[in-house]
Amino acid sequence: MKIVVLSDTHGDANLIEQVYEQEQDADAFFHCGDSELAYDDAHFHNMYRVKGNCDFDRNFVDDLLVPVGERSIFMTHGHLYNIKMTLTPLDYKAQETGADIVLFGHSHLLGAEQIGDTLFLNPGSLLLPRGGNPKSYATIEWQANTDEIKVSFLSPTKQKISEHYFSILKK
C-alpha cells in the first residue's frame, strides 16, 4: 500500500494537482488541512481532507479515521491538539481510536516519529515550510502482513529529501 500526505498548501491548488499527477500509483491521498480551498474543489479529486485553522468551508471535518488496507489512519490538522507544544493529546486520541498511523499538519515542520506502536507524521508544507525545512510532502508505504513502514519526504518535484523506516504493529 502507498499513501500520499500533504498539508498547508494555503490556496495553491496547483501544488495539490502537481502532487496528485506525479503520484498516480498511490492507493490513497490525504490533505491535513489549511488548503484554503472549498471542500468540493476539483483539485482534491478523491483526497481525504480535514479542516485546518485557515479553512472556512463548513463541509470540512476536524478529524477523520480511515482504514487503508489493514492499517487504521487518523488525520487531523493539529491545531485542536496543541501539536506545536506536545504530541500527548494526539497520542491519547490515537489510543482512543486505535490508529496505527496519525497524520497532521499545522506547524509546517516535516517529521515522522514513533510513539509506542503508532507512527505520527507531519508532511511539512508544500508552500510555506518553517524551521529551515524545504517544501515537502510525504509518502507512506507498507506491504500487507508486515510491520515495516517506509516514510519518504519529497519535494514538490518528487526529489527525495529523506527516507525513514519504522516497525509499527497492526492494531
Side-chain angles (χ1 to χ4, degrees):
M1 300 296 295
K2 177 182 177 180
I3 67 169
V4 175
V5 187
L6 49 150
S7 189
D8 297 285
T9 51
H10 291 282
D12 194 332
N14 292 327
L15 285 170
I16 297 171
E17 189 67 30
Q18 179 180 344
V19 171
Y20 182 80
E21 290 299 322
Q22 66 196 21
E23 295 288 357
Q24 286 296 297
D25 62 333
D27 296 293
F29 288 82
F30 293 81
H31 193 295
C32 299
D34 277 0
S35 67
E36 297 186 37
L37 302 176
Y39 179 82
D40 59 358
D41 190 287
H43 291 92
F44 283 128
H45 301 277
N46 294 319
M47 204 169 286
Y48 295 104
R49 51 208 179 273
V50 292
K51 181 179 182 174
N53 58 298
C54 294
D55 294 318
F56 299 103
D57 188 320
R58 294 180 186 262
N59 292 308
F60 284 105
V61 296
D62 291 328
D63 301 333
L64 202 54
L65 184 65
V66 179
V68 177
E70 70 279 1
R71 297 288 183 176
S72 179
I73 300 173
F74 177 79
M75 178 174 58
T76 192
H77 183 58
H79 64 296
L80 300 175
Y81 292 89
N82 199 27
I83 61 94
K84 288 185 180 180
M85 298 298 291
T86 179
L87 292 180
T88 301
L90 204 48
D91 184 31
Y92 289 152
K93 187 67 173 183
Q95 292 176 42
E96 178 185 310
T97 61
D100 300 299
I101 300 170
V102 175
L103 308 175
F104 63 98
H106 187 54
S107 68
H108 297 221
L109 299 170
L110 65 83
E113 177 179 349
Q114 183 172 346
I115 300 174
D117 286 325
T118 307
L119 173 64
F120 291 81
L121 181 128
N122 185 329
S125 174
L126 280 166
L127 186 67
L128 302 165
R130 294 182 182 145
N133 288 304
K135 295 177 180 182
S136 62
Y137 70 97
T139 61
I140 304 174
E141 298 177 75
W142 68 88
Q143 299 296 319
N145 302 314
T146 67
D147 295 333
E148 187 173 281
I149 292 178
K150 179 174 86 170
V151 171
S152 299
F153 290 101
L154 304 158
S155 75
T157 57
K158 205 174 177 179
Q159 299 301 309
K160 191 175 294 182
I161 296 167
S162 64
E163 192 170 87
H164 312 270
Y165 291 87
F166 299 90
S167 181
I168 305 292
L169 302 174
K170 293 176 284 302
K171 295 184 175 115

